[in-house]
């Protein structure tokens, strides 16, 4: 579909007059070109404007204005440019700060004096190499971290895998010791990195049923302990090592929950090879007013409930604690779209796609996505 | 593609091939040809002064050697021929070859930083001039190498009396010149870019002090396959208003020296000039040119000069239409449908007011007639006059005829003695001066219809051009709103044509946006002044008898010239406000305008303001005011 045709269809669907069309075409053309057309799941000939036209058609005529307004005024699209900025800031704003603070604290000097102190400079160099960065998902964008930090972090310090096997741990340790020319060198700082936390449960949650902690943090812990218990590997981390978890983006709610969960889990996770606390950091925290709510977004909330197909509910989504997924996983009600995928914490109308098959004599509406989500769990 | 009307600045066009199709030759004819014919354009320092959007950078870029070469490479394209011909007339091209080696040097904030250094003025100037000269050499050389000329094929011909200085610039070979210029640039850049300015004693200013390529070079030569081509170097300093005022003065004096053989242009906004320069530069009695007392040293080109205003308006209309055609050709939506001219979709037929409004208008005129005892016979005579006039113009419309009649009634009443209480109301009295209908009255009637009945006044291509006050950027901004609307209609499979009502509405809305979006220095005070002038002009225009040249022509305050000439000396703040108003297209200062045997300076509202406030585009009419009136408008701040 060419852009002109898509715009004409839009004006027909929305029943705009010439003035409204002029205003909205301008916005659509600008935003499509600047941001939305870059969504990774779009294909040639079926990008934003075309997808928006298709998406709007699932609603009744009088409801389309509310849906369109939601896209224009409430939806937050995080594009590649923004993600790149957040990733590029990771080392200078987060890792480097921790290294400097640690060295300054160890030497008993002020952090701002480290550049003029030869001992501190050497310690910073060594500690930088003793830092390991583990990406917890593709969204951690380790490729950008690598490119943005050439000369600061070596390839052997950047790993994309939350569960590293014993062989990999051995390899990482070997490279560290070779680089530092120290056969006993150990890692002192480990960063776990992920792109987005909507509820924080993927990172750390307590399973009431099994009475145990679960999530990516726990999987990393298991992987680490397995390697340490392997006689061929032995100790990986120094006794005073620091474990940090960094998210490029998080909702205010997820941040609070993660801090609380981490605090609670400390007692249960206590171990000689495990630090007393996990340092959490977030490059950007979305405003707590960002989620849509019935009080401020009543029209769109009604749409989210009306155009809902329960077939999108699975055993994996139930983990979030909210069965009805209209407001997204965990009832987060986020209006967020990330350029590489739409989080399932966002309202389902944005990402869900169903056929509207009749079940138990009930035929739900077929849900059409605006930004189709690639499901992790099928 | 994106609407090119919204992307005017020539800096945004990366490639010459994308830039050249958008360049129209008319400004060169209007502003440069005369100076080229006089022989001043390339011999003296030329200071080119214009408001933002007047096309300074476009001209600077066009005159670069590499751009001229690109132009000549594509000369066979029919659209480029007028440009090539014009540049030939302006002395940039001869025998289908560039004869100028143009290099553009933008004077960005970095040069201004020199003035903040804690050094004596002499040293600051020395450093800045050396940096400027090194960058000019690099610009000239890169213009040549970009067109495929090798460094070893470049040489200069030095002036005969510059043997000693020749060694300091590296020699006559292109390679030596390049490396020396690069070394000087690096040396001075390390000073300007330092976190803390180095101590004076640490500055090796000897090399910089001896580096005077402008004093040495007479012309450039390129030798390819045994053929030697001579090029006259031209340096174009763009955006000189970024310099500190004192720095700017020193810079101008340095460039104005007669012994320099290179051609040099300085392009600047009016910001860089003193209020006196701006306010009085075009005043007849003022022999002082901006910044330099001796006008013979300087060739000033105003890109918004006040001589031959009628001719300039005509020329601008032609240029603007040409420019719009070039821009429209870039838009697929239009080119696919063979629409290449704004006039193709900008309607010229006015929309009349609605029947109910017409009835209201007719009723109000009947009331005037009855209340003042104007006879039916007189009314019929006037109506016949109006009908005759309108049929001559080819635009007969009832609403305009009625509005003219209303004006004529008021004029008639002013020209007959007041009737007594017991006089026969039906008696027809001859006015003491005959009543005539002309374009001024018709224009006044249309302005009144705009205010009273929202009848479209700003429509058709000429109105669009006039609203731009001869400023290309302003024209494109205003045109963009019409083009976007037509584009929308085409996308919606409707005809592109815009009614006069749509044009009027869109242009007024856009004019309001431009006005509200002003963000130049002193814009608040300029707005106060503009609004004050506009309000009084609107009130005057809506007077029943439309007294001022048909009533519509009032779009300016007129101050006696001798009083206006005192403003820079006596009222500094007012002078500054007027300067920035003129510099950023809010006002046009029309000096030495003769009316009632006296000389006036008109502070005329620009086209955009007239559209925003609903004033006529007809120029010439003004309200007689005093400096105190301007001051009192500012006091409201």
């Amino acid at each position: 579909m060419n852009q002109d045709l898509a715009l004409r269809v839009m004006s027909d669907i929305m029943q705009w007059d010439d003035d409204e069309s002029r205003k909205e075409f301008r916005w659509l053309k600008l935003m499509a070109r600047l941001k939305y057309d870059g969504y990774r799941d779009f294909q040639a000939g079926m990008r934003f404007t075309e997808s928006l036209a298709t998406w709007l058609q699932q609603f009744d005529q009088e409801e389309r204005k509310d849906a369109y307004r939601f896209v224009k005024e409430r939806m937050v699209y995080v594009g590649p440019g923004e993600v790149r900025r957040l990733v590029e800031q990771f080392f200078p704003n987060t890792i480097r700060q921790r290294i400097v603070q640690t060295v300054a604290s160890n030497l008993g000097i002020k952090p701002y004096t480290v550049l003029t102190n030869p001992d501190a400079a050497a310690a910073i160099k060594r500690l930088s190499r003793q830092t390991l960065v583990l990406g917890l998902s593709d969204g951690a964008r380790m490729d950008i971290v690598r490119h943005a930090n050439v000369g600061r972090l070596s390839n052997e310090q950047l790993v994309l895998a939350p569960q590293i096997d014993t062989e990999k741990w051995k390899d990482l340790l070997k490279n560290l010791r070779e680089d530092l020319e120290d056969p006993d060198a150990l890692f002192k700082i480990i960063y776990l990195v992920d792109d987005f936390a909507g509820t924080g449960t993927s990172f750390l949650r307590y399973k009431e049923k099994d009475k145990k902690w679960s999530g990516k943090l726990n999987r990393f812990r298991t992987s680490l302990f397995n390697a340490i218990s392997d006689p061929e590997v032995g100790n990986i981390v120094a006794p005073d090592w620091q474990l940090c978890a960094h998210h490029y983006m998080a909702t205010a709610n997820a941040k609070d929950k993660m801090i609380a969960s981490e605090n609670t889990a400390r007692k249960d996770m206590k171990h000689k090879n495990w630090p007393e606390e996990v340092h959490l950091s977030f490059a950007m925290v979305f405003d707590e007013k960002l989620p849509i709510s019935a009080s401020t977004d009543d029209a769109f909330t009604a749409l989210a409930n009306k155009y809902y197909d329960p077939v999108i509910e699975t055993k994996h989504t139930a983990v979030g604690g909210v069965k009805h997924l209209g407001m997204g996983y965990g009832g987060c009600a986020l209006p967020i779209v990330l350029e590489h995928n739409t989080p399932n914490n966002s309202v389902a109308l944005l990402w869900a796609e169903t056929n509207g098959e009749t079940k138990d004599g009930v035929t739900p509406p077929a849900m059409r996505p605006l930004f189709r989500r690639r499901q992790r769990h099928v | 593609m994106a609407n090119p009307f919204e992307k005017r600045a020539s800096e945004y066009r990366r490639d010459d091939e994308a830039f050249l199709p958008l360049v129209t030759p008319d400004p060169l004819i209007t502003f440069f040809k005369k100076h080229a014919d006089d022989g001043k354009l390339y011999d003296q320092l030329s200071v080119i002064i214009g408001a933002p959007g007047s096309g300074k950078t476009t001209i600077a870029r066009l005159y670069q050697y590499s751009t001229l070469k690109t132009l000549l490479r594509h000369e066979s394209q029919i659209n480029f021929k007028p440009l090539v011909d014009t540049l030939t007339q302006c002395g940039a091209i001869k025998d289908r070859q560039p004869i100028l080696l143009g290099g553009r040097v933008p004077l960005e904030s970095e040069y201004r930083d020199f003035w903040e250094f804690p050094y004596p003025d002499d040293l600051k100037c020395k450093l800045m001039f050396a940096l400027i000269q090194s960058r000019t050499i690099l610009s000239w050389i890169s213009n040549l190498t970009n067109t495929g000329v090798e460094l070893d094929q470049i040489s200069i011909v030095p002036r005969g009396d510059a043997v000693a200085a020749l060694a300091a610039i590296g020699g006559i070979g292109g390679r030596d010149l390049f490396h020396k210029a690069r070394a000087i640039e690096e040396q001075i850049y390390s000073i300007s870019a330092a976190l803390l300015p180095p101590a004076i004693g640490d500055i090796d200013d000897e090399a910089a002090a001896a580096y005077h390529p402008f004093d040495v070079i007479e012309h450039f030569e390129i030798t390819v396959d045994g053929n030697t081509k001579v090029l006259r170097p031209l340096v174009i300093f763009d955006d000189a208003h970024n310099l500190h005022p004192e720095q700017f003065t020193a810079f101008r004096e340095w460039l104005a020296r007669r012994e320099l053989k290179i051609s040099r242009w300085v392009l600047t906004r009016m910001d860089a000039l003193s209020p006196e320069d701006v306010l009085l530069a075009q005043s007849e009695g003022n022999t002082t040119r901006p910044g330099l007392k001796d006008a013979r040293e300087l060739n000033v080109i105003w890109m918004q000069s006040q001589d031959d205003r009628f001719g300039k308006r005509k020329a601008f209309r032609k240029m603007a239409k040409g420019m719009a055609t070039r821009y429209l050709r870039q838009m697929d939506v239009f080119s696919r449908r063979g629409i290449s001219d704004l006039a193709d979709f900008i309607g010229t037929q006015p929309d009349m007011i609605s029947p109910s409004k017409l009835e209201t208008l007719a009723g109000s005129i009947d009331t005037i007639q009855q209340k003042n005892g104007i006879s039916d016979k007189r009314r019929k005579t006037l109506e016949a006059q109006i009908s005759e006039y309108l049929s001559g113009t080819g635009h007969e419309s009832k609403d305009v005829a009625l509005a003219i009649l209303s004006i004529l009634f008021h004029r008639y009443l002013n020209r007959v003695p007041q009737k007594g209480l017991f006089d026969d109301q039906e008696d027809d009295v001859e006015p003491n001066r005959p009543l005539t209908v002309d374009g001024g009255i018709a224009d006044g009637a249309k302005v009144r219809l705009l205010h009273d009945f929202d009848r479209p006044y700003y429509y058709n291509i000429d109105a669009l051009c006039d609203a731009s006050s001869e400023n290309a950027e302003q024209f494109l901004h205003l045109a963009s709103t019409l083009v976007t609307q037509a584009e929308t209609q085409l996308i919606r499979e409707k005809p592109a044509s815009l009614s006069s009502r749509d044009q009027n509405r869109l242009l007024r809305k856009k004019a309001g946006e431009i006005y509200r979006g002003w963000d130049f220095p002193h814009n608040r005070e300029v707005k106060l002044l503009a609004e004050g002038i506009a309000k009084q002009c609107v009130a005057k225009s809506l007077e029943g008898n439309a007294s001022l040249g048909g009533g519509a022509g009032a779009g300016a305050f007129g101050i006696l010239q001798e009083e206006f000439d005192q403003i820079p000396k006596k009222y500094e703040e007012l002078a500054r406000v007027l300067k920035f108003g003129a510099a950023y297209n809010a006002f046009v200062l029309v000096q030495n305008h003769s009316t009632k045997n006296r000389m006036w300076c008109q502070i005329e509202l620009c086209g955009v303001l007239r559209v925003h406030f609903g004033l006529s585009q007809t120029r010439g009419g003004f309200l007689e005011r005093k400096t105190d009136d301007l001051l009192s408008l500012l006091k409201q701040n």
Side-chain angles (χ1 to χ4, degrees):
Chain A
M1 204 189 290
N2 70 37
Q3 193 189 40
D4 290 354
L5 178 59
L7 291 171
R8 184 161 73 240
V9 171
M10 274 297 298
S11 71
D12 291 343
I13 291 171
M14 296 302 295
Q15 297 183 347
W16 288 327
D17 61 19
D18 283 347
D19 270 3
E20 273 181 300
S21 297
R22 190 185 75 245
K23 210 171 83 194
E24 300 307 334
F25 285 3
R26 195 181 157 90
W27 183 82
L28 285 167
K29 282 198 271 190
L30 176 75
M31 294 306 284
R33 201 173 62 234
L34 200 67
K35 300 195 84 172
Y36 304 143
D37 276 353
Y39 186 63
R40 208 176 286 179
D41 209 59
F42 285 155
Q43 291 164 355
M46 192 64 189
R47 297 197 186 279
F48 175 67
T49 314
E50 297 86 341
S51 301
L52 180 62
T54 312
W55 183 70
L56 287 168
Q57 285 182 80
Q58 70 185 309
F59 306 114
D60 291 340
Q61 185 62 50
E62 66 276 11
E63 295 165 342
R64 288 176 189 167
K65 272 200 174 129
D66 297 323
Y68 183 74
R69 194 180 307 121
F70 169 80
V71 172
K72 251 188 105 169
E73 294 172 7
R74 291 291 269 122
M75 195 180 81
V76 174
Y77 181 93
V78 184
E82 289 105 345
V83 171
R84 177 170 281 276
R85 295 290 171 279
L86 293 173
V87 179
E88 284 173 350
Q89 287 170 13
F90 173 40
F91 182 85
N93 284 359
T94 308
I95 301 182
R96 167 92 188 166
Q97 295 296 329
R98 177 160 295 280
I99 291 171
V100 168
Q101 293 283 356
T102 306
V103 168
S105 161
N106 290 347
L107 296 177
I109 58 175
K110 299 282 184 197
Y112 56 81
T113 61
V114 293
L115 283 177
T116 56
N117 185 323
D119 292 342
I124 285 174
K125 197 175 169 196
R126 184 179 168 85
L127 188 55
S128 294
R129 184 57 189 87
Q130 286 176 296
T131 301
L132 184 66
V133 182
L134 303 180
L136 296 180
S137 72
D138 289 346
R141 300 309 304 264
M142 301 306 279
D143 52 336
I144 303 179
V145 178
R146 185 174 293 122
H147 283 134
N149 297 295
V150 172
R152 297 160 168 169
L153 295 170
S154 75
N155 280 359
E156 286 72 32
Q157 291 174 265
L158 303 167
V159 185
L160 178 62
Q163 292 157 283
I164 305 173
D165 60 27
T166 308
E167 280 306 307
K168 184 67 185 172
W169 277 119
K170 254 166 75 181
D171 195 36
L172 290 170
L173 215 46
K174 181 173 154 269
N175 284 323
L176 170 71
R177 287 166 181 174
E178 278 175 9
D179 284 356
L180 293 181
E181 296 175 347
D182 175 358
D184 301 321
L186 295 168
F187 286 109
K188 286 198 157 187
I189 298 176
I190 294 181
Y191 264 94
L192 307 178
V193 190
D194 213 343
D195 57 343
F196 178 72
T199 55
T201 53
S202 305
F203 180 72
L204 184 62
R205 64 179 178 274
Y206 188 69
K207 280 184 164 177
E208 282 293 345
K209 199 175 137 196
D210 304 333
K211 300 285 179 209
K212 65 173 191 181
W213 289 95
S214 175
K216 290 176 183 176
L217 180 66
N218 199 52
R219 284 201 288 279
F220 165 72
R221 186 170 182 266
T222 308
S223 153
L224 181 72
F225 286 1
N226 285 345
I228 291 173
S229 61
D230 188 325
E232 282 192 29
V233 184
N235 250 352
I236 295 171
V237 287
D240 58 344
W241 76 291
Q242 300 174 50
L243 177 59
C244 314
H246 181 77
H247 283 77
Y248 299 133
M249 290 165 278
T251 61
N253 184 40
K255 181 187 170 189
D256 293 345
K257 263 192 186 168
M258 286 166 75
I259 290 171
S261 301
E262 189 279 324
N263 215 4
T264 314
R266 281 181 200 172
K267 198 171 65 181
D268 298 338
M269 288 191 167
K270 199 167 176 150
H271 188 276
K272 66 179 166 77
N273 290 324
W274 193 249
E276 282 193 4
E277 68 170 312
V278 180
H279 304 279
L280 300 175
S281 58
F282 306 88
M284 192 182 79
V285 178
F286 290 106
D287 193 285
E288 57 185 18
K289 290 183 190 145
L290 180 69
I292 66 164
S293 68
S295 58
T296 54
D297 307 277
D298 51 342
F300 191 77
T301 308
L303 290 182
N305 288 322
K306 180 177 172 185
Y307 296 91
Y308 180 72
D309 185 348
V311 76
I312 62 173
E313 295 165 10
T314 66
K315 63 174 183 172
H316 300 290
T317 62
V319 174
V322 178
K323 186 174 179 297
H324 192 286
L325 278 188
M327 287 293 131
Y329 174 82
C332 288
L334 298 179
I336 294 174
V337 176
L338 306 180
E339 53 96 19
H340 64 280
N341 207 3
T342 307
N344 63 358
N345 317 81
S346 290
V347 285
L349 267 179
L350 276 176
W351 52 265
E353 184 174 29
T354 70
N355 295 326
E357 281 173 17
T358 306
K359 203 174 173 188
D360 303 330
V362 180
T363 307
M367 297 177 78
R368 290 177 196 165
L370 177 55
F371 293 96
R372 180 181 286 106
R373 172 179 161 76
R374 288 209 181 272
Q375 295 286 1
R376 215 165 13 161
H377 308 289
V378 182
Chain B
M1 74 169 284
N3 185 346
F5 284 82
E6 293 173 355
K7 193 179 168 186
R8 145 94 177 114
S10 39
E11 292 95 317
Y12 299 144
R13 311 278 168 183
R14 195 179 298 167
D15 306 316
D16 287 338
E17 281 83 356
F19 163 72
L20 284 168
L22 302 176
V23 181
T24 174
D26 303 84
L28 291 174
I29 297 283
T30 310
F31 300 114
F32 283 68
K33 188 171 173 300
K34 187 179 83 147
H35 299 273
D37 292 343
D38 291 350
K40 289 180 180 170
L41 193 58
Y42 306 115
D43 292 339
Q44 290 185 342
L45 166 63
S46 291
V47 178
I48 298 154
I49 303 164
S54 54
K56 297 184 296 297
T57 300
T58 301
I59 286 171
R61 187 168 172 187
L62 178 65
Y63 263 83
Q64 290 208 107
Y65 180 79
S66 56
T67 315
L68 292 179
K69 284 296 274 185
T70 310
L71 175 70
L72 289 163
R73 210 168 43 242
H74 299 285
E75 190 201 355
S76 55
Q77 285 186 28
I78 190 94
N79 297 331
F80 289 166
K81 281 196 173 146
L83 198 52
V84 173
D85 291 344
T86 306
L87 284 163
T88 307
Q89 288 176 49
C90 289
I93 292 173
K94 193 178 176 187
D95 299 330
R96 307 282 169 214
Q97 285 299 322
I99 53 173
L100 293 173
L101 172 57
R104 175 176 168 260
V105 179
L107 295 177
E108 282 154 3
S109 55
E110 185 188 352
Y111 297 95
R112 164 86 184 223
D113 294 345
F114 278 109
W115 219 250
E116 312 302 331
F117 287 155
Y119 304 145
D121 286 357
D122 179 46
L123 177 60
K124 288 190 283 192
C125 283
K126 228 189 265 179
L127 292 171
M128 183 181 81
F129 295 160
L131 182 61
I132 279 175
Q133 289 181 91
S134 65
R135 288 195 170 156
T136 304
I137 293 285
L138 294 172
S139 170
W140 283 329
I141 291 178
S142 78
N143 261 282
L144 289 169
T145 52
N146 286 346
T147 58
V149 180
E150 301 286 332
L151 277 179
D152 296 327
Q153 295 169 330
I154 303 169
S155 61
I156 57 156
V157 174
R159 279 167 40 186
D161 57 349
V163 183
L166 178 62
I169 68 166
I172 60 167
R175 191 170 294 281
D176 299 332
L177 276 171
F178 177 79
H179 289 304
K180 184 69 185 179
R182 181 64 80 209
I184 293 283
E185 188 201 20
E186 274 173 22
Q187 190 184 335
I188 300 172
Y189 183 75
S190 65
I191 300 170
S192 73
L195 202 55
L196 290 170
I200 294 185
D202 296 340
I203 297 174
D204 171 20
D205 63 336
E206 288 308 311
Y211 187 74
H212 297 300
F214 285 10
D215 294 315
V216 176
I217 298 171
E218 189 147 327
H219 54 254
F220 271 75
E221 283 183 349
I222 312 167
T223 308
V224 182
D225 299 332
N227 297 320
T228 300
K229 199 160 65 181
V230 175
L231 293 169
R232 179 173 195 170
L234 161 69
V235 56
I236 307 163
F237 295 109
D238 201 359
D239 293 335
H241 50 268
N242 286 324
L243 300 178
H244 185 282
E246 286 172 24
Q247 198 179 13
F248 184 63
T249 305
F251 174 64
R252 250 180 351 198
E253 283 174 356
W254 171 65
L255 282 177
R257 290 170 302 139
R258 286 183 188 183
E259 60 268 26
L260 295 183
K261 296 293 177 200
I262 60 162
S263 306
R264 58 268 183 219
W265 293 355
V266 173
L267 275 55
T268 178
R269 295 181 185 174
M270 287 185 206
D271 303 30
L273 310 180
S274 69
E276 194 169 7
D277 284 336
V278 174
L279 269 47
L280 306 182
Q282 294 181 63
S283 163
E284 244 175 26
N286 182 49
T287 51
T288 308
R289 297 292 180 93
L292 283 184
K293 290 196 171 152
D294 189 352
R296 285 172 304 170
E297 303 291 336
L298 204 60
N299 179 38
V300 181
I301 301 175
W302 291 85
M303 291 189 73
Q304 54 219 89
S305 71
Q306 301 318 318
D307 51 320
D308 186 21
R309 299 184 78 210
F310 178 74
K312 288 242 167 70
R313 177 171 265 198
K314 219 170 124 185
F316 179 77
R317 283 180 180 180
K318 186 170 166 250
M319 184 203 86
K321 286 170 196 172
M323 193 160 60
T325 301
R326 286 159 198 273
Y327 278 64
L328 271 182
R329 278 195 198 124
Q330 310 237 325
M331 296 178 74
D332 291 344
V333 177
F334 293 99
S335 60
R336 269 204 309 271
R337 292 163 173 91
I339 299 172
S340 61
D341 196 338
L342 272 185
D344 289 348
F345 57 86
I346 295 188
T348 53
Q349 288 302 314
D351 291 324
M352 265 188 37
I353 61 175
S354 66
S356 62
K357 285 179 178 173
L358 197 65
E359 207 175 300
T360 311
L361 176 62
S364 72
I365 290 164
D366 291 345
T367 308
I368 297 170
Q369 186 188 356
Q370 282 158 20
K371 211 167 149 187
N372 297 287
I374 300 170
S375 70
D376 287 342
K377 188 180 149 204
R378 176 62 53 190
R379 178 171 180 153
K380 282 204 174 80
T381 311
L382 294 176
E383 281 174 341
Q385 265 182 278
I386 294 166
S387 177
E388 189 186 342
Y389 169 78
L390 288 179
S391 63
T393 63
H395 292 291
E396 288 180 85
S397 65
K398 270 188 190 167
D399 49 2
V400 176
L402 284 170
I404 295 176
L405 183 61
S406 165
I407 293 172
L408 291 180
F409 274 175
H410 281 94
R411 289 190 173 191
Y412 173 75
L413 291 170
N414 286 346
R415 294 178 193 186
V416 295
Q418 199 172 359
K419 285 188 177 174
L421 192 58
F422 303 106
D423 290 342
D424 187 347
Q425 297 295 316
E426 286 300 309
D427 278 354
D428 185 50
V429 185
E430 271 303 314
N432 55 18
R433 271 188 297 134
L435 292 164
T436 50
V437 185
D438 57 19
I441 291 184
D443 199 31
K446 287 174 193 169
V447 170
R448 291 185 62 183
L449 287 171
L450 168 76
H451 284 272
D452 295 345
F453 298 102
D454 200 26
R455 182 188 193 270
Y457 180 80
Y458 307 102
Y459 60 90
N460 78 38
I461 183 84
D462 287 343
L464 172 63
C465 294
D466 295 350
S468 317
S469 297
E470 282 96 76
N471 183 286
E473 195 164 85
Q474 206 96 282
F475 169 76
L476 289 171
H477 281 160
L478 289 167
S480 74
T481 189
L482 302 182
V483 170
T484 313
Q485 180 76 5
E487 184 193 19
T488 303
Q489 291 179 193
L490 284 174
I491 289 172
R492 302 188 72 206
E493 293 195 320
K494 294 164 86 176
S497 57
L498 301 176
S499 67
S500 61
R501 191 165 299 284
D502 282 341
Q503 292 176 51
N504 183 70
R505 179 174 53 79
L506 291 166
L507 286 176
R508 294 201 72 185
K509 191 171 167 223
K510 187 72 188 180
E513 284 170 15
I514 294 174
Y515 172 64
R516 284 187 291 276
W518 281 353
D519 61 353
F520 52 81
H522 294 281
N523 72 77
R524 272 169 33 138
E525 291 81 2
V526 173
K527 275 181 186 160
L528 272 179
L529 213 53
E531 214 164 302
I533 295 173
K535 275 183 184 160
Q536 294 185 33
C537 288
V538 168
K540 189 74 181 170
S541 296
L542 299 182
E543 278 179 1
N545 63 344
S547 60
L548 251 182
F557 272 11
I559 311 281
L560 282 171
Q561 187 69 49
E562 64 259 27
E563 197 180 328
F564 184 84
D565 289 349
Q566 297 302 312
I567 290 178
K569 283 178 208 144
K570 288 187 177 169
Y571 310 102
E572 269 181 40
E573 197 200 339
L574 175 61
R576 254 198 313 275
V577 174
L578 287 170
K579 170 190 140 175
F580 281 101
Y584 287 87
N585 282 323
F587 308 127
V588 179
L589 302 176
V590 186
Q591 315 257 6
N592 301 300
H593 179 84
S594 172
T595 298
K596 296 181 188 168
N597 293 324
R598 302 198 73 173
M599 300 304 272
W600 301 81
C601 174
Q602 289 181 34
I603 303 164
E604 198 180 82
L605 297 177
C606 71
V608 165
L609 288 178
R610 286 168 182 250
V611 174
H612 175 60
F613 289 106
L615 287 162
S616 165
Q617 295 288 23
T618 309
R619 299 186 298 206
F622 63 89
L623 306 183
E624 292 174 19
R625 291 291 184 269
K626 292 190 166 297
T627 308
D628 284 347
D629 296 317
L630 298 177
L631 292 169
S632 67
L633 290 176
L634 284 182
K635 268 184 201 151
Q636 293 167 17
N637 190 5

